[in-house]
Amino acid sequence: MTAPRDFKYVGTRPIRHDGVDKVTGRASYGADAAWPGMLHGFVLRSPHAHARIVSIDTGAAEAVPGVHAVITGKDLPETTATIALGEAAIDLRDIGDNVLAKTKTLYHGHAVAAVAATTIDIAREAAAAIEVVYDVLEPVTGIDRALGAGAPILHPALVTKGAAGPDAGGPTNIASRMELKRGDVDAGFAEADLVVEREFRTPMVHQGYIEPHACIARCGEDGRAVVWCTTQGPFVVRDACAAIVGLDPANVKVVPSEIGGGFGGKIVVYLEPLALALARKARRPVKIVMGRDDVFRATGPTSGSKVRVKLGAKRDGTIVAASASLWYEAGAYAGSPVGAGAMCMLAAYKVPNFFIEAYDVVVNKPKVAAYRAPGSPIAAFAVESVVDEIARELKIDPIELRLMNANAEGDRAPYGPKYGPIGLAQILEAARAHPHWRAPLGANQGRGFAVGFWFNAGMNSSATVTLNSDGSAAVVTGNPDIGGTRAAQAMMAAEELGIPVERVRSNVGDTDGSGFTDVTGGSRVCYATGMAVIRAAEDAREQLRARAATIWNVSKDAVGWENGRAIPPAGTEKASPMTVAELTAKMTQTGGPIVGRASLYAPMAGPAFGAHICDLEVDPETGRSRIVRYTAFQDVGKAVHPSYVEGQMQGGVAQGIGWALNEEYIYSADGVMENAGFLDYRMPVASDLPMIETVIVEVANPLHPYGVRGVGEVPIVPPLAAVANAMRDATGIRFTELPLSPPRVLEAIEAAAAVPVEA
Amino acid sequence: MSKLHIETTINREPAEFLCEPHETVLSALRNGLGLTGTKEGCATGDCGACSILLDGRLVPACLVLAPEAQGRTITTIEGLSRGDALHPLQQKFLEHAALQCGICTPGFIVAAKALLDATPEPSEEETRYWLAGNLCRCTGYDKIVRAVLDAASEMKGSAA
Ligand code: FES
Ligand code: FES
């Protein structure tokens, strides 16, 4: 049990340790490094969404003066390796093929060759001289085409994994199908007084990190390699590069740069194996930086989707049955987050009878990557829209309806386990009590409410805490700091050691300099790696107690510890309490350096819920809408550095609003992405948004010594539905397809005006 | 193809560099001069990560050709702090936790400096519209806008 504890540093807002470097331009990000003798790499990409590669002739490119290496898919061995990532596994055969196409190109922008040359201009010119002969195939541009009769097949050998559905057997674009069920759905719906069913669609959207992918690699004659890159997972890069390029992972060191955003999209590799293979061939370091257009075309997006949801409720608001079908686009290779979507969609509600089926569908679009609570926002958009409809039909306050049906500690999550302490009721009550919920609305304004859920990950983490002779400490972990985790880790070490937080240096190690650590992702760093830091600091503290025992010539058990000082047992002559600095000053005489260390597997973090209230104003003349007020409530367990917790919530809300209102991948009929730039892929800017109010609720997670749950992912889950529900409130129109862009909204408003709708 | 020799003033010091005729100021700063504080997010003028001041005017360095810098004055993020003292904007960005990943931060600080140079007391709305050319994907802009407004009021206080 987590006993309430008085914290000295946890819960305060110190200035982050890497802050000055980042406001002065000194911090070194992926594209900021340059190595002596470095070559510049350029990647040639497929202009076709779906094509067989008949031949590639690199002769002319190799003849361009200044070109040192050219590679194609033939230069990379096919691998069958996988990398464990929590419960899941990354299939490196697919990743290898995605990095450089072997026999087919599967989306517009799929890499087919790469060149290293003395300048980027020469590399680009040489790439243009590569002759690729394609046999162009009909592209599968979306879910309906993928499942339709006579659909082109992306992978002839693909077999549907999982619970066999009606379409099993034969060539297919369905990579997997899963089911979740409980109770008797038909009986449940028969009991319902109200049944609402809707079908929803969302387009592919990108994580939109501002820093494009970038790396430098070198590889010696002895096979030893170093890769510098912007990544959320240096160990993933190490293992993936080794397998894809054909090197011994023991010989590959990955040094993570500062990272300019990732949101899940910088976990897998894109450029690193290419830079490494080119560097091996050229025997020179090779740097590759991706252009923004290629970031859009060839990395990241999360799935486009089709989701059908049916909910049944009693007149009093009790939800008695649910059924849902989810189809998520995986992009070119299996692996959409549809399973997570299915598991999250009813996480907030006690539903006695449900049946959910989830399809992972391959299409000729970029292979999807994780994006902040992968799969959950899409599912929440559907479910929370339908819950909103039920509240309207039954004339029950939307927060009240959710409270009536809310899961609580001891209830069984739809995905299996029983919930421990969760803060769902608390955030709902906080939202209901908040002045925003009762504030008057202006003309053409509407208010929407939605909740969202994410599991939060645990997984592997390691940390060391090294004490210096002046009583300061250095923390090393293997998690790139994507949003303030150095500060949080320093605070936790300071808390355990009782030294000022400014006296702790917080470092991100490379793959040789830190113990194995899973990715910066899954909202896990502050939780799992934080726990490793706490344990490592405790280990250092225990060593300090032992040193005090040596000095006082008493047994270690007799030495107390209070407020950063070792306390001598009562009656010890001439002994007075010793501070950390006093003890570390004597390290050499009392046994040598002190390094605290910890490595652990955190099985699962505390699941978390968020609830959002959104006020939106729509201009009926143009269909353009504006978010006028937004409040986000979230159970974070314990906020270590509240400013960065608020920042995560605000950032997730902004991304969710972008997803709801403007962002989408637009494809031509040939599967060519038509808006691969920030001008046409419209992410929210400062003038699009109001201040985003945050309300932090803390229901301690018993799995963490301070109660931390993790924070980063939940905030992107509710906004899609919160915005759509606000739009429904403002216009009377239920939108089931995102984004709610001005043309779509205007068209619907005009159609509604032409045909009067029933209330 | 011969390179051009450009003489300019960068962050209050004379500077010279060689560049290709088609090279951008962004590339010259980052690759030629090692001033990597100015970032590239898009190279098409749409993200503001490369914001610099050219003769005091806010421009995206990715849209200015390097030869155009001849005889002109450039201020980059590296030129904002003086000695040990951070610029008030830099200090306020730290205090307000207005950065998460930090890749957009140099561009925002340079753009905000241009705002405060022109409009010492901007409203929230003016600040939001001025900064609309800078993308941040991490923060939702809330803390950035607060940091800029706070820096403005502090600078006004110290100027008075
Ligand atoms: S890099 Fe210049 S505006 Fe984006
Ligand atoms: S802090 Fe990451 S993009 Fe702004």
Side-chain angles (χ1 to χ4, degrees):
Chain A
M1 264 319 288
T2 316
R5 170 171 167 182
D6 279 337
F7 291 108
K8 193 156 180 199
Y9 299 108
V10 170
T12 65
R13 301 172 187 245
I15 285 179
R16 63 193 281 171
H17 293 59
D18 51 337
V20 170
D21 281 354
K22 287 179 177 169
V23 298
T24 54
R26 275 195 289 270
S28 203
Y29 291 81
D32 295 343
W35 288 352
M38 178 177 93
L39 301 171
H40 296 269
F42 185 82
V43 180
L44 179 70
R45 296 178 181 277
S46 169
H48 307 294
H50 195 189
R52 209 181 321 282
I53 299 173
V54 179
S55 63
I56 305 181
D57 183 348
T58 59
E62 278 156 5
V64 175
V67 169
H68 285 251
V70 181
I71 55 167
T72 68
K74 292 199 171 68
D75 291 279
L76 301 181
E78 192 156 322
T79 173
T80 53
T82 58
I83 300 180
L85 187 69
E87 316 296 308
I90 301 177
D91 180 341
L92 290 179
R93 199 187 68 83
D94 285 353
I95 303 282
D97 200 53
N98 189 42
V99 159
L100 204 51
K102 299 234 164 19
T103 56
K104 275 177 99 180
T105 66
L106 294 168
Y107 54 93
H108 172 224
H110 197 164
V112 291
V115 181
T118 46
T119 71
I120 186 67
D121 290 339
I122 296 173
R124 197 175 282 129
E125 181 196 326
I130 296 173
E131 274 178 56
V132 187
V133 179
Y134 295 100
D135 173 14
V136 179
L137 306 169
E138 183 196 337
V140 175
T141 51
I143 289 163
D144 293 341
R145 185 68 190 112
L147 306 183
I153 295 297
L154 272 74
H155 304 280
L158 186 77
V159 209
T160 308
K161 284 193 195 145
D167 323 295
T172 179
N173 290 317
I174 299 175
S176 73
R177 180 178 178 282
M178 75 167 242
E179 289 178 3
L180 278 178
K181 50 191 154 190
R182 174 187 295 169
D184 181 337
V185 182
D186 292 338
F189 279 114
E191 246 187 282
D193 299 312
L194 172 69
V195 174
V196 177
E197 180 170 15
R198 295 274 188 284
E199 187 176 294
F200 298 85
R201 284 176 190 263
T202 65
M204 273 190 165
V205 295
H206 198 274
Q207 294 83 346
Y209 34 81
I210 306 301
E211 179 201 31
H213 298 265
C215 65
I216 311 185
R218 61 180 149 89
C219 185
E221 289 75 0
D222 55 0
R224 287 183 192 271
V226 181
V227 181
W228 154 281
C229 61
T230 173
T231 179
Q232 294 173 247
F235 288 92
V236 172
V237 175
R238 180 191 68 183
D239 295 350
C241 278
I244 291 169
V245 179
L247 293 168
D248 180 351
N251 280 340
V252 180
K253 171 161 102 170
V254 174
V255 183
S257 69
E258 293 304 326
I259 177 168
F263 314 106
K266 287 183 184 157
I267 292 174
V268 293
V269 292
Y270 298 100
L271 300 177
E272 296 85 353
L274 302 181
L276 192 49
L278 287 167
R280 181 173 59 177
K281 207 163 174 177
R283 291 283 174 239
R284 298 261 297 264
V286 174
K287 176 174 180 172
I288 312 183
V289 179
M290 212 183 264
R292 177 58 54 182
D293 49 350
D294 291 340
V295 172
F296 275 115
R297 287 192 188 108
T299 76
T302 193
S303 306
S305 70
K306 176 167 96 169
V307 176
R308 196 177 297 142
V309 175
K310 181 170 150 188
L311 292 183
K314 299 247 226 208
R315 203 157 286 118
D316 67 2
T318 316
I319 299 173
V320 287
S323 70
S325 304
L326 302 83
W327 295 266
Y328 283 20
E329 293 174 344
Y333 303 88
S336 78
V338 72
M343 290 194 277
C344 290
M345 69 190 312
L346 297 174
Y349 305 117
K350 289 186 223 278
V351 185
N353 310 290
F354 62 77
F355 176 81
I356 304 173
E357 54 170 359
Y359 294 89
D360 184 28
V361 184
V362 292
V363 295
N364 289 115
K365 295 182 183 176
K367 172 172 172 51
V368 302
Y371 180 21
R372 213 167 190 165
S376 190
I378 295 168
F381 169 54
V383 167
E384 292 298 295
S385 294
V386 172
V387 170
D388 191 67
E389 285 294 297
I390 290 175
R392 283 180 178 280
E393 286 284 330
L394 298 177
K395 303 199 169 23
I396 300 176
D397 174 273
I399 298 183
E400 197 55 49
L401 181 79
R402 288 172 171 91
L403 269 167
M404 286 170 61
N405 291 286
N407 271 322
E409 180 170 3
D411 286 333
R412 196 165 281 288
Y415 54 92
K418 272 196 178 149
Y419 286 120
I422 49 172
L424 177 57
Q426 288 86 334
I427 57 164
L428 288 169
E429 274 154 15
R432 188 168 58 173
H434 195 280
H436 185 172
W437 189 237
R438 289 179 307 278
L441 288 164
N444 296 318
Q445 294 186 349
R447 177 165 299 148
F449 182 84
V451 300
F453 164 86
W454 188 246
F455 312 94
N456 294 339
M459 309 199 288
N460 298 288
S461 284
S462 308
T464 56
V465 174
T466 303
L467 300 183
N468 301 311
S469 57
D470 63 357
S472 65
V475 175
V476 178
T477 76
N479 282 122
D481 181 353
I482 210 161
T485 52
R486 280 189 186 89
Q489 290 168 3
M491 291 165 76
M492 294 190 242
E495 193 73 55
E496 294 308 316
L497 291 167
I499 61 176
V501 68
E502 299 76 25
R503 301 278 287 157
V504 183
R505 283 186 69 90
S506 205
N507 303 280
V508 178
D510 60 41
T511 53
D512 286 350
S514 62
F516 182 87
T517 294
D518 274 314
V519 299
T520 294
S523 306
R524 62 176 293 280
V525 178
C526 199
Y527 166 70
T529 306
M531 192 143 51
V533 170
I534 292 168
R535 300 261 182 267
E538 282 170 353
D539 181 19
R541 193 181 64 210
E542 289 311 295
Q543 295 179 52
L544 287 169
R545 281 179 62 216
R547 302 303 172 92
T550 306
I551 293 167
W552 294 328
N553 200 15
V554 297
S555 87
K556 185 190 157 203
D557 293 344
V559 177
W561 189 269
E562 246 171 52
N563 294 326
R565 296 186 314 169
I567 311 292
T572 315
E573 268 178 53
K574 281 187 275 170
S576 50
M578 291 182 79
T579 63
V580 173
E582 285 164 348
L583 288 164
T584 54
K586 293 192 163 46
M587 272 192 307
T588 305
Q589 297 90 321
T590 55
I594 297 177
V595 180
R597 55 173 199 87
S599 47
L600 51 85
Y601 182 83
M604 191 36 108
F609 292 89
H612 293 187
I613 308 173
C614 169
D615 290 0
L616 163 154
E617 183 175 310
V618 57
D619 177 351
E621 305 296 315
T622 62
R624 194 178 137 76
S625 57
R626 200 163 59 84
I627 305 296
V628 291
R629 186 170 180 184
Y630 205 102
T631 310
F633 305 79
Q634 190 173 327
D635 168 24
V636 304
K638 177 77 198 166
V640 174
H641 193 310
S643 296
Y644 288 101
V645 169
E646 293 158 6
Q648 287 291 326
M649 292 167 68
Q650 291 160 339
V653 166
Q655 281 182 318
I657 289 173
W659 197 339
L661 290 181
N662 281 304
E663 295 179 31
E664 62 178 318
Y665 270 47
I666 300 170
Y667 281 95
S668 73
D670 317 335
V672 170
M673 187 187 177
E674 294 185 318
N675 60 334
F678 283 140
L679 191 61
D680 300 312
Y681 183 94
R682 179 83 169 61
M683 309 201 309
V685 298
S687 55
D688 293 332
L689 296 172
M691 292 296 182
I692 296 160
E693 191 178 341
T694 55
V695 178
I696 294 172
V697 172
E698 296 182 323
V699 175
N701 170 17
L703 299 172
H704 185 278
Y706 303 165
V708 168
R709 263 175 213 280
V711 61
E713 290 173 288
V714 171
I716 202 176
V717 183
L720 282 58
V723 170
N725 290 344
M727 187 65 90
R728 163 68 183 81
D729 196 41
T731 62
I733 301 166
R734 170 60 58 191
F735 287 86
T736 56
E737 184 167 359
L738 297 182
L740 306 180
S741 55
R744 173 169 289 142
V745 171
L746 186 61
E747 193 183 324
I749 289 174
E750 284 171 351
V755 188
V757 282
E758 320 107 66
Chain B
M1 214 170 15
S2 71
K3 293 203 173 189
L4 301 173
H5 177 242
I6 304 299
E7 289 180 63
T8 172
T9 302
I10 302 178
N11 299 332
R12 303 180 295 279
E13 282 186 8
E16 50 189 324
F17 58 84
L18 296 175
C19 67
E20 304 284 346
H22 63 271
E23 200 172 334
T24 62
V25 167
L26 179 60
S27 165
L29 288 171
R30 290 180 52 81
N31 304 321
L33 294 155
L35 290 170
T36 55
T38 306
K39 306 299 181 192
E40 177 176 317
C42 67
T44 52
D46 300 313
C47 78
C50 65
S51 299
I52 58 163
L53 304 182
L54 184 64
D55 289 341
R57 208 166 64 88
L58 178 66
V59 293
C62 68
L63 291 189
V64 183
L65 288 176
E68 290 181 60
Q70 174 63 39
R72 301 174 79 177
T73 299
I74 291 174
T75 304
T76 71
I77 185 67
E78 288 92 346
L80 257 68
S81 53
R82 304 258 172 136
D84 279 350
L86 293 177
H87 188 280
L89 280 162
Q90 293 172 314
Q91 185 60 32
K92 290 300 172 191
F93 267 63
L94 292 178
E95 288 171 13
H96 285 266
L99 54 147
Q100 280 174 35
C101 79
I103 194 81
C104 68
T105 309
F108 268 98
I109 289 176
V110 170
K113 177 178 168 9
L115 168 66
L116 300 189
D117 286 348
T119 314
E121 290 177 72
S123 66
E124 181 191 331
E125 197 181 357
E126 282 172 310
T127 304
R128 287 187 179 276
Y129 277 92
W130 182 274
L131 296 177
N134 291 74
L135 289 175
C136 173
R137 193 57 157 174
C138 300
T139 64
Y141 305 102
D142 185 299
K143 293 180 190 299
I144 291 177
V145 172
R146 288 178 201 275
V148 173
L149 294 174
D150 194 11
S153 63
E154 179 163 308
M155 286 163 75
K156 181 177 157 257
S158 63

